[in-house]
Amino acid sequence: MEPDPKIEIAKSVKKESSKGWTELYLVVVGALAAQIAFFVWLTKAFD
Amino acid sequence: MNPIDIATIGVTLVAIVFFGVWKTRNDRKLDEFLKGSSNSWGTIGLSVMATQASAITFLSTPGLAYDSGMAFVQNYFGMPLALILIAVVFVPMYYKLELCSVYEFLEHRFDSKTRTLGSAIFLIQRGFSAGITIYAPSIILTSVLGWDMNTTVIGVGLAVILYTVTGGSHAVSVTHKYQMTVILTGMAIAFGIVVYKIMGHAGFRENLSIAGALGHLNVVDLSFDLNKRYTIWSGLLGGFFLSLSYFGTDQSQAQRYMSGQSVRESRLGLMFNALLKVPMQFLILLLGVLVFVFYQWERPPATFLPSSMTDMAESADANAYREYKLRFEDRFQEQKIAIDGYVEALRNGGGSAAQASKEELQNASLAVKEARSQLKGHIARTTGQESMKETDYVFIHFVLNELPIGLIGLLIAVILSAAMSSTASELSALATITTVDFYQNHFVKDRDERHYMKASRTFTAMWGGLAILFALFASMVESLIEAVNIVGSLFYGTVLGLFLAAFFIRRIGAHAAFIAAIIAQLSVLLLYFTDLVQIGYLWYNLIACALVIVISYSIQLVIGKKEV
């Protein structure tokens, strides 16, 4: 019997959700925080 | 204009259009036309970026920084956080349901009328934006280059229609890669040139000190003032909701990342933007600030507005014009002496001498500003063009007067490429929604793929035609970049409220969501047009979104158990 494609997609989505994504999202948040910190410094340093 | 510049513009644009048509010449599948083919994360990342970066971004943003500094970048602080939420929650769901239109999701979760409402709001606001996207660069380029307005609008519009009708969403993704390459190269060169020019007068840090002393390096504002347009809080909160709406629920963006090979590719494409968008926007604004510094060393024109206007003002009242102009030139010379004094004091170690020179410079700058605004006021009064904003013309003036031959053509190709890239995404998305959510869903069901392909092409051409018509008959509204953001903020919140209720609050049913969305949309429009409350426009996203959720939840509580 052919597998239901929607179930297959859902499975792959679940599988992909767990691998390394949290680390990537943390990198993005960290980069944003670093950028804002740099902007605050720039504002204060050249005020 | 020099023939080399004309050739650069022509070759760049024709090559992109030709490539888009040629690359998609064998596409026959409806899915490919509406959603695009299986793209990698790099293509998705650039396509998402190209969709958001319109010509207005490159014309108006440096001008905004020239006028009032860097605070606008705060608008983008919420964007990386919104993109993470979209990558985690929205993308897997859209893939799971194999959506062509994001508003189909509202039917899966609520009902057909809520889907139609979401689609209709999208068509109204995106249809309007598509017109502005073509109109904005055309009005500026035609007035400074002396091109014919109608020919420019129709030329840009038809070029986009050509490859969007031929290759649909696939052609849009394919051309975006090359458009972004042209855009990033051109902007990097412009940045390098302005840095080179100001370094001829003083060191980079000293130039930044001049910008800072004149209040142009005010990147972050930590105050809690709701009346201010740009603060860190409005950027994080309002910007988060604006980005969540734009990337999560606007078909023109969702269509870009839903064209991925897999959930993984789409997510990586979004994270590419989450990492790069704020720095990119910062650099575009910094470019504007550096152009501002350049014009502290070199005397700027009486106005950046088209020279035809100054000519008109001069011929209307030559004596008054000359008097205002001389006063401005005198004040500028005084400011130049103050700048030299300030730089000298910085080189001698700063301290109290630098502080005193800084105050002198600030006073001299105020005098220049006043003299210049009197001159601009005189020009505006005599020409009757009081609504024209000078900021939209600053960057193009710098390009035309300070860049060498060949690079002027490249920078104009940047602006036209940006106009084409965002318009193409809009037309493709508008056609997809019209075909899938209206034509196929309500009017002509159960026809074969060829029929809907033909319908999609017709709708693409129709929306392109409407955008051209709008651009031909539009008139100036505030600063162009702000006009687009304001229109977005007025409509996005409602649609976002529907999506958030759909994703996160199971209790809310179809009728409650639909009624709440209508009430929220009308309330926001009422707030904006009656000026009942004076708030920055980014807050409308949050207000409409909160209204949809609170009202729909309250209605549901009254109705009782969730209806299906």
Side-chain angles (χ1 to χ4, degrees), chain B residues 246-353:
Chain B
Y246 177 52
F247 291 98
T249 72
D250 186 308
Q251 178 70 16
S252 65
Q253 274 297 357
Q255 194 164 325
R256 300 294 98 224
Y257 59 78
M258 277 153 64
S259 67
Q261 285 165 12
S262 63
V263 172
R264 179 179 179 276
E265 300 301 314
S266 297
R267 280 176 164 172
L268 285 175
L270 288 175
M271 290 308 102
F272 172 86
N273 279 272
L275 280 170
L276 293 183
K277 185 66 192 181
V278 175
M280 182 181 138
Q281 212 59 35
F282 171 79
L283 288 173
I284 295 172
L285 286 163
L286 187 61
L287 173 63
V289 169
L290 297 181
V291 169
F292 168 79
V293 175
F294 171 77
Y295 283 120
Q296 306 310 300
W297 292 111
E298 307 282 336
R299 195 177 67 221
T303 170
F304 288 103
L305 291 171
S307 57
S308 57
M309 284 180 65
T310 45
D311 295 346
M312 207 193 295
E314 197 171 1
S315 60
D317 188 347
N319 286 338
Y321 177 79
R322 206 168 304 137
E323 196 181 310
Y324 283 121
K325 196 167 175 240
L326 275 176
R327 193 180 304 161
F328 160 63
E329 286 170 2
D330 288 347
R331 296 295 94 83
F332 184 81
Q333 277 311 317
E334 287 162 15
Q335 183 191 258
K336 206 151 178 246
I337 295 165
I339 288 181
D340 287 336
Y342 181 52
V343 171
E344 196 59 38
L346 287 173
R347 284 176 183 165
N348 290 334
S352 58

Side-chain angles (χ1 to χ4, degrees), chain A residues 5-6 9-10 12-13 16-18 21 24-29 31-32 35-36 38-47, chain B residues 77 80-81 84 87-88 92 95-96 98 205 208-209 212-213 217 219-220 232 263-264 267-268 271 274-275 278-279 282 358:
Chain A
K6 283 196 181 175
I9 290 167
S12 74
V13 165
E16 285 191 47
S17 303
S18 54
W21 290 108
L24 178 61
Y25 300 142
L26 285 175
V27 167
V28 171
V29 174
L32 175 67
Q35 284 159 13
I36 293 176
F38 169 68
F39 296 152
V40 170
W41 170 82
L42 195 65
T43 307
K44 302 253 183 241
F46 291 96
D47 188 19
Chain B
F77 286 175
L81 305 174
I84 290 175
V88 173
Y95 267 86
K96 188 178 165 188
E98 294 178 58
R205 196 184 163 86
L208 285 186
S209 296
L217 283 182
V219 192
V220 179
I232 190 169
V263 172
R264 179 179 179 276
R267 280 176 164 172
L268 285 175
M271 290 308 102
L275 280 170
V278 175
F282 171 79
K358 184 177 169 182

Side-chain angles (χ1 to χ4, degrees), chain B residues 188 272 426 444:
Chain B
F272 172 86
E426 288 171 332
V444 183

Side-chain angles (χ1 to χ4, degrees), chain B residues 486-505:
Chain B
I486 290 170
V487 171
S489 293
L490 288 177
F491 290 99
Y492 278 145
T494 305
V495 181
L496 178 64
L498 282 174
F499 273 80
L500 291 185
F503 270 114
F504 299 110
I505 310 174

